[in-house]
Amino acid sequence: MATIRFYALKETFNRKPLKFKEKGKHSENFGKNVFNHNAMRQYMTKQAFKSVQNAILHGTKIDRDIADQVASAMKDWALSKGATHYTHWFQPLTGATAEKHDAFFEPIENGNAIEKFEGTQLVQQEPDASSFPNGGIRNTFEARGYTAWDPTSPAFIYGTTLCIPTIFVSYTGEALDYKTPLLKALSAVDSAATSVCKYFDKNVKKVISTLGWEQEYFLIDEAFAKARPDITLTGRTVVGHSPAKGQQLDDHYFGSISDRVLNFMRELETECMYLGIPVKTRHNEVAPNQFELAPVFEETNLAVDHNSLLMDVMEKIGKRHQFKVLLHEKPFAGINGSGKHNNWSLATDTGINLLSPGKTPMSNLQFLTFFINTIKAVNDNEELLRASIASAGNDHRLGANEAPPAIISVFIGEQLSNVLQELKGVTKGKLSPQEKTDLKLNVVGKIPDVLLDNTDRNRTSPFAFTGNKFEFRAVGSKQNCANPMTILNTIVAKQLKDFKTEVDALINTKKLKKDEAIFNVLREYIKASERILFEGNGYSKEWEKEAEKRGLSNNKTTPEALKAKVSKKAISLFEEMDVMTKVEAEARYEIEIEEYTMRIQIEGRVLGDLARNHIVPTAIKYQSALIKNAQGLKDIFGKDYKTIAKEQLELIKTISDHITAIKSKTKAMINERKKANKIEDAEKQALAYCNKVKPYFDEIRYHCDKLEIMIDDELWPLSKYREMLFTR
Ligand code: ADP
Ligand code: MG
């Protein structure tokens, strides 16, 4: 009997690339399925259009009758595009997106029917969503949750459904999704940053946070994935020997893209264009069959929605091309994992990127203000920032010598390090006219030239300044960007708020000039944040030691890392910035810690199943063949058979050893699982899964992988690394 792997191989050999014909230019297709500015103009009354624009820009409320007008316009537009259904589209704490479709269709009297969609349906819905994780909130408070329209992210048509981005909250007002706290964090950073901007330009009325994510992923043939229960159930391989050729030649990175993959990418990009996701770059990544897709940056809330949507679109388009898209942070051991760099900055409504040096000393002082405040925010909240990217999948990357370490540090490059050194020496209190001129001309004034040749990039840094933005590189490929973006914008908001208070105090009590006061506060911030700045190799052992001396956290696993989200400091931060209540923060923590446990539990079960029901029986089958062979040799050669069948006899013995080890270790793992399952406290349970159950994974895998390279290739049931990684 042939194995499933055999069928998978046969299928992949017969695959022909599915030709994809682009329909028109990207620029013509861009936003065709989005209810954007243009579509709104065309379909809405002037009054409704104004009201929605005000809601987007200033967060004003939309009246009921205006909502009716908006709904009616949305419906007309959607019907003209062939949509039949609508849905409130939201991001519950499962990490996936959720939708429940309702038809526009409504029967009326006399057996007739109409298409109907009203303001009430647009503004609020009550999905029967009681199965989404809620961390006990809805048990404690109120059973129902509802979704509410987020006008700042435009509605779009996906397939034949009008999707309306919404928040998801409980009836008592607690957030049950990713979007609600994100929107609050964005509003906090807007007001804090706008106040600070007024030191430099009174015309600034709004500051937006910008995000440009870079999505890494693997593509493997769907048939291989089907032949691997671990990929199907966990998104990663829990066993599998590394291939003879891995990524050591670096020949995949930026290499030419195969036809089949290119057709997938082209269809994906075209779909993205219709959905208004401004994807711009695509290339091969370091690992074989690993790729990256990146858009032009956007306002953070929209960028987060677009990334969530993209992950869904990728899977769908992948299926059409018979690819399985692997978004997991570490699908293959020994091969680079996938991340999602989050490029972040702040921009004013006057068109200024606050992390981009300007042309005048004053605009550079503004740049330095935001630059140094961001560094200070990361310094003061490094552990919380680490917690924002904690997940079972990302644990495989962080600190595993190929991705940023679990220690958060900031890389700024040599030139800016020098600028900070000079600023550190600024006199306390009033500055002499000479010092002021000097600072303006020689320190602040020089920044634009310096940055132009600031091309050195440190790939080992988790949080790097890259010329006009910070790049948070430790984010996992599968994660919803909302989590890290909520934390980053919140800590920067808090920092800017404190900065404003301190500068104002110096101006009012010490009678310093505005720029003197700013220099004074920045000087202190530089001194206070020195420990977070690191320019060296983040992967090195020395850095771990050095970071410990500096008092930086190094939380290598999710259960350890997550605690920072419910520390006293974090909760008072969330409350002060009005991002989350204590109840919400604790509920989220509970959900994340339970999710971690469940993921490890599922992986443990899958590994047990593979080892006992796939690998051991295969090993026994092969061993039986060897025994039969040795027996035959004995019949032929009599006593001499021991030297003639030496290899076979050794193999028979080695196979038995591995089988015994797999059996006993699997049993021990199951025992630990049983013990862990009895623990009631969610945190202790996660720790047990992390420290008692998970360590068996590598041990069991070791023996399974040894068997893989020993056993007849034809018998092996699971798709091999070389097949999954090198077939395109
Ligand atoms: P790489 O990091 O691969 O060298 P780039 O530096 O060109 O790539 O940019 C990576 C991402 O950074 C892109 O998605 C881009 O849109 C985004 N980006 C550029 N400027 C900003 C900004 N001001 N705010 C947020 N993201 C930005
Ligand atoms: Mg990058």
Side-chain angles (χ1 to χ4, degrees), residues 172-203:
T172 36
E174 283 83 14
L176 297 169
D177 67 349
Y178 281 113
K179 196 192 256 280
T180 309
L182 175 68
L183 288 174
K184 290 182 171 175
L186 294 176
S187 152
V189 87
D190 172 14
S191 64
T194 303
S195 312
V196 171
C197 278
K198 294 217 191 283
Y199 287 137
F200 308 96
D201 180 359
K202 290 261 181 293
N203 294 320

CSV table of all heavy atoms in Angstrom, one decimal, residues 172-203:
chain,number,residue,atom,x,y,z
A,172,THR,N,-21.8,45.6,28.4
A,172,THR,CA,-21.4,46.6,29.5
A,172,THR,C,-20.2,47.4,29.1
A,172,THR,O,-19.6,48.1,29.9
A,172,THR,CB,-21.1,45.8,30.7
A,172,THR,OG1,-20.5,44.5,30.4
A,172,THR,CG2,-22.3,45.4,31.5
A,173,GLY,N,-19.9,47.3,27.8
A,173,GLY,CA,-18.9,48.2,27.2
A,173,GLY,C,-17.4,47.7,27.2
A,173,GLY,O,-16.5,48.4,26.7
A,174,GLU,N,-17.2,46.5,27.7
A,174,GLU,CA,-15.8,46.0,27.6
A,174,GLU,C,-15.4,45.5,26.2
A,174,GLU,O,-16.2,44.9,25.6
A,174,GLU,CB,-15.6,44.8,28.6
A,174,GLU,CG,-15.5,45.2,30.1
A,174,GLU,CD,-16.8,45.4,30.7
A,174,GLU,OE1,-17.8,45.0,30.1
A,174,GLU,OE2,-16.8,46.0,31.8
A,175,ALA,N,-14.2,45.8,25.8
A,175,ALA,CA,-13.7,45.4,24.5
A,175,ALA,C,-13.6,43.9,24.4
A,175,ALA,O,-13.0,43.3,25.4
A,175,ALA,CB,-12.4,46.1,24.2
A,176,LEU,N,-14.1,43.3,23.4
A,176,LEU,CA,-13.9,41.9,23.2
A,176,LEU,C,-13.1,41.6,21.9
A,176,LEU,O,-13.0,40.5,21.4
A,176,LEU,CB,-15.3,41.2,23.0
A,176,LEU,CG,-16.2,41.3,24.3
A,176,LEU,CD1,-17.6,40.8,23.9
A,176,LEU,CD2,-15.6,40.5,25.4
A,177,ASP,N,-12.4,42.6,21.4
A,177,ASP,CA,-11.7,42.5,20.1
A,177,ASP,C,-10.3,43.2,20.2
A,177,ASP,O,-9.9,43.7,21.2
A,177,ASP,CB,-12.5,43.0,19.0
A,177,ASP,CG,-12.7,44.6,19.1
A,177,ASP,OD1,-12.3,45.1,20.2
A,177,ASP,OD2,-13.1,45.2,18.1
A,178,TYR,N,-9.6,43.2,19.1
A,178,TYR,CA,-8.4,43.9,19.0
A,178,TYR,C,-8.5,45.3,18.7
A,178,TYR,O,-7.7,46.2,19.0
A,178,TYR,CB,-7.5,43.2,17.9
A,178,TYR,CG,-6.9,41.9,18.3
A,178,TYR,CD1,-7.2,40.7,17.7
A,178,TYR,CD2,-5.9,41.9,19.2
A,178,TYR,CE1,-6.6,39.5,18.1
A,178,TYR,CE2,-5.2,40.7,19.6
A,178,TYR,CZ,-5.6,39.5,19.0
A,178,TYR,OH,-5.0,38.4,19.4
A,179,LYS,N,-9.6,45.7,17.9
A,179,LYS,CA,-9.7,47.0,17.4
A,179,LYS,C,-10.0,48.1,18.4
A,179,LYS,O,-9.5,49.2,18.3
A,179,LYS,CB,-10.8,47.0,16.3
A,179,LYS,CG,-10.7,48.2,15.4
A,179,LYS,CD,-12.0,48.3,14.5
A,179,LYS,CE,-11.7,47.9,13.1
A,179,LYS,NZ,-11.1,48.9,12.3
A,180,THR,N,-10.8,47.7,19.4
A,180,THR,CA,-11.3,48.8,20.3
A,180,THR,C,-10.1,49.4,21.1
A,180,THR,O,-10.0,50.6,21.1
A,180,THR,CB,-12.3,48.2,21.3
A,180,THR,OG1,-13.3,47.5,20.5
A,180,THR,CG2,-13.0,49.2,22.2
A,181,PRO,N,-9.3,48.6,21.8
A,181,PRO,CA,-8.1,49.3,22.4
A,181,PRO,C,-7.2,49.9,21.5
A,181,PRO,O,-6.6,51.0,21.8
A,181,PRO,CB,-7.4,48.1,23.2
A,181,PRO,CG,-8.0,46.9,22.7
A,181,PRO,CD,-9.3,47.2,22.0
A,182,LEU,N,-7.1,49.4,20.3
A,182,LEU,CA,-6.2,50.0,19.3
A,182,LEU,C,-6.7,51.5,19.0
A,182,LEU,O,-5.9,52.4,19.0
A,182,LEU,CB,-6.1,49.2,18.0
A,182,LEU,CG,-5.3,49.9,16.9
A,182,LEU,CD1,-3.8,50.0,17.2
A,182,LEU,CD2,-5.4,49.1,15.5
A,183,LEU,N,-8.0,51.6,18.7
A,183,LEU,CA,-8.5,52.9,18.4
A,183,LEU,C,-8.3,53.9,19.5
A,183,LEU,O,-8.0,55.0,19.3
A,183,LEU,CB,-10.0,52.8,18.1
A,183,LEU,CG,-10.4,52.1,16.7
A,183,LEU,CD1,-11.9,51.9,16.5
A,183,LEU,CD2,-9.8,53.0,15.5
A,184,LYS,N,-8.4,53.3,20.8
A,184,LYS,CA,-8.2,54.2,21.9
A,184,LYS,C,-6.8,54.6,22.0
A,184,LYS,O,-6.5,55.8,22.4
A,184,LYS,CB,-8.7,53.5,23.2
A,184,LYS,CG,-10.2,53.3,23.3
A,184,LYS,CD,-10.6,52.7,24.5
A,184,LYS,CE,-12.1,52.7,24.7
A,184,LYS,NZ,-12.5,51.9,26.0
A,185,ALA,N,-5.9,53.7,21.8
A,185,ALA,CA,-4.4,54.0,21.8
A,185,ALA,C,-4.1,55.1,20.8
A,185,ALA,O,-3.3,56.0,21.0
A,185,ALA,CB,-3.6,52.8,21.6
A,186,LEU,N,-4.7,54.9,19.6
A,186,LEU,CA,-4.4,55.9,18.5
A,186,LEU,C,-4.9,57.2,18.8
A,186,LEU,O,-4.3,58.3,18.5
A,186,LEU,CB,-5.1,55.4,17.2
A,186,LEU,CG,-4.4,54.1,16.6
A,186,LEU,CD1,-5.2,53.6,15.4
A,186,LEU,CD2,-3.0,54.2,16.3
A,187,SER,N,-6.1,57.3,19.5
A,187,SER,CA,-6.6,58.6,19.9
A,187,SER,C,-5.7,59.2,21.0
A,187,SER,O,-5.5,60.4,21.0
A,187,SER,CB,-8.1,58.3,20.4
A,187,SER,OG,-8.5,59.3,21.3
A,188,ALA,N,-5.2,58.3,21.9
A,188,ALA,CA,-4.3,58.8,23.0
A,188,ALA,C,-3.0,59.4,22.4
A,188,ALA,O,-2.6,60.5,22.8
A,188,ALA,CB,-4.0,57.7,24.0
A,189,VAL,N,-2.5,58.7,21.4
A,189,VAL,CA,-1.2,59.2,20.8
A,189,VAL,C,-1.5,60.5,20.0
A,189,VAL,O,-0.7,61.4,20.0
A,189,VAL,CB,-0.5,58.1,20.0
A,189,VAL,CG1,-1.0,58.0,18.6
A,189,VAL,CG2,1.0,58.3,20.1
A,190,ASP,N,-2.7,60.5,19.4
A,190,ASP,CA,-3.0,61.7,18.6
A,190,ASP,C,-3.0,62.9,19.6
A,190,ASP,O,-2.4,63.9,19.3
A,190,ASP,CB,-4.4,61.5,18.0
A,190,ASP,CG,-5.0,62.8,17.4
A,190,ASP,OD1,-4.2,63.7,17.2
A,190,ASP,OD2,-6.2,62.8,17.0
A,191,SER,N,-3.8,62.8,20.7
A,191,SER,CA,-3.9,64.1,21.5
A,191,SER,C,-2.5,64.4,22.2
A,191,SER,O,-2.2,65.6,22.2
A,191,SER,CB,-5.0,64.0,22.5
A,191,SER,OG,-4.8,63.0,23.4
A,192,ALA,N,-1.8,63.4,22.6
A,192,ALA,CA,-0.5,63.7,23.3
A,192,ALA,C,0.5,64.3,22.3
A,192,ALA,O,1.2,65.3,22.5
A,192,ALA,CB,0.1,62.4,23.9
A,193,ALA,N,0.6,63.7,21.1
A,193,ALA,CA,1.5,64.2,20.1
A,193,ALA,C,1.1,65.5,19.5
A,193,ALA,O,2.0,66.4,19.3
A,193,ALA,CB,1.6,63.1,18.9
A,194,THR,N,-0.2,65.7,19.3
A,194,THR,CA,-0.6,67.0,18.8
A,194,THR,C,-0.2,68.2,19.8
A,194,THR,O,0.3,69.2,19.4
A,194,THR,CB,-2.1,67.0,18.6
A,194,THR,OG1,-2.5,66.0,17.7
A,194,THR,CG2,-2.6,68.3,18.0
A,195,SER,N,-0.4,67.9,21.1
A,195,SER,CA,0.0,69.0,22.1
A,195,SER,C,1.5,69.3,22.0
A,195,SER,O,1.9,70.4,22.0
A,195,SER,CB,-0.3,68.5,23.5
A,195,SER,OG,-1.5,68.0,23.7
A,196,VAL,N,2.3,68.2,21.8
A,196,VAL,CA,3.7,68.4,21.7
A,196,VAL,C,4.1,69.2,20.4
A,196,VAL,O,4.9,70.0,20.4
A,196,VAL,CB,4.5,67.1,21.9
A,196,VAL,CG1,6.0,67.3,21.6
A,196,VAL,CG2,4.3,66.5,23.3
A,197,CYS,N,3.4,68.8,19.3
A,197,CYS,CA,3.7,69.5,18.1
A,197,CYS,C,3.4,71.0,18.1
A,197,CYS,O,4.1,71.7,17.4
A,197,CYS,CB,2.7,68.9,17.0
A,197,CYS,SG,3.3,67.4,16.3
A,198,LYS,N,2.5,71.4,19.0
A,198,LYS,CA,2.2,72.8,19.1
A,198,LYS,C,3.4,73.6,19.5
A,198,LYS,O,3.5,74.8,19.3
A,198,LYS,CB,1.0,73.0,20.0
A,198,LYS,CG,-0.3,72.4,19.4
A,198,LYS,CD,-1.5,73.3,19.6
A,198,LYS,CE,-2.8,72.6,19.3
A,198,LYS,NZ,-3.0,72.6,17.8
A,199,TYR,N,4.4,73.0,20.2
A,199,TYR,CA,5.6,73.7,20.5
A,199,TYR,C,6.3,74.2,19.2
A,199,TYR,O,7.1,75.1,19.2
A,199,TYR,CB,6.6,72.8,21.2
A,199,TYR,CG,6.3,72.5,22.6
A,199,TYR,CD1,6.5,71.2,23.1
A,199,TYR,CD2,5.9,73.5,23.5
A,199,TYR,CE1,6.2,70.9,24.4
A,199,TYR,CE2,5.6,73.2,24.9
A,199,TYR,CZ,5.8,71.9,25.3
A,199,TYR,OH,5.5,71.5,26.6
A,200,PHE,N,6.1,73.4,18.2
A,200,PHE,CA,6.9,73.7,16.9
A,200,PHE,C,6.0,74.3,15.8
A,200,PHE,O,6.5,75.0,15.0
A,200,PHE,CB,7.5,72.4,16.4
A,200,PHE,CG,8.3,71.7,17.4
A,200,PHE,CD1,7.7,70.6,18.2
A,200,PHE,CD2,9.6,72.0,17.7
A,200,PHE,CE1,8.5,70.0,19.2
A,200,PHE,CE2,10.3,71.4,18.7
A,200,PHE,CZ,9.8,70.4,19.4
A,201,ASP,N,4.7,73.9,15.8
A,201,ASP,CA,3.9,74.4,14.7
A,201,ASP,C,2.4,74.5,15.3
A,201,ASP,O,1.8,73.4,15.5
A,201,ASP,CB,4.0,73.5,13.5
A,201,ASP,CG,3.1,74.0,12.4
A,201,ASP,OD1,2.4,75.0,12.5
A,201,ASP,OD2,3.1,73.3,11.3
A,202,LYS,N,1.9,75.7,15.4
A,202,LYS,CA,0.6,75.9,16.0
A,202,LYS,C,-0.5,75.3,15.1
A,202,LYS,O,-1.6,75.1,15.5
A,202,LYS,CB,0.3,77.3,16.3
A,202,LYS,CG,1.1,77.9,17.4
A,202,LYS,CD,0.3,78.0,18.7
A,202,LYS,CE,1.0,78.6,19.8
A,202,LYS,NZ,2.2,77.8,20.4
A,203,ASN,N,-0.2,75.1,13.8
A,203,ASN,CA,-1.2,74.7,12.8
A,203,ASN,C,-1.6,73.2,12.9
A,203,ASN,O,-2.5,72.8,12.3
A,203,ASN,CB,-0.8,75.0,11.4
A,203,ASN,CG,-0.7,76.5,11.2
A,203,ASN,OD1,-1.5,77.2,11.7
A,203,ASN,ND2,0.4,76.9,10.5
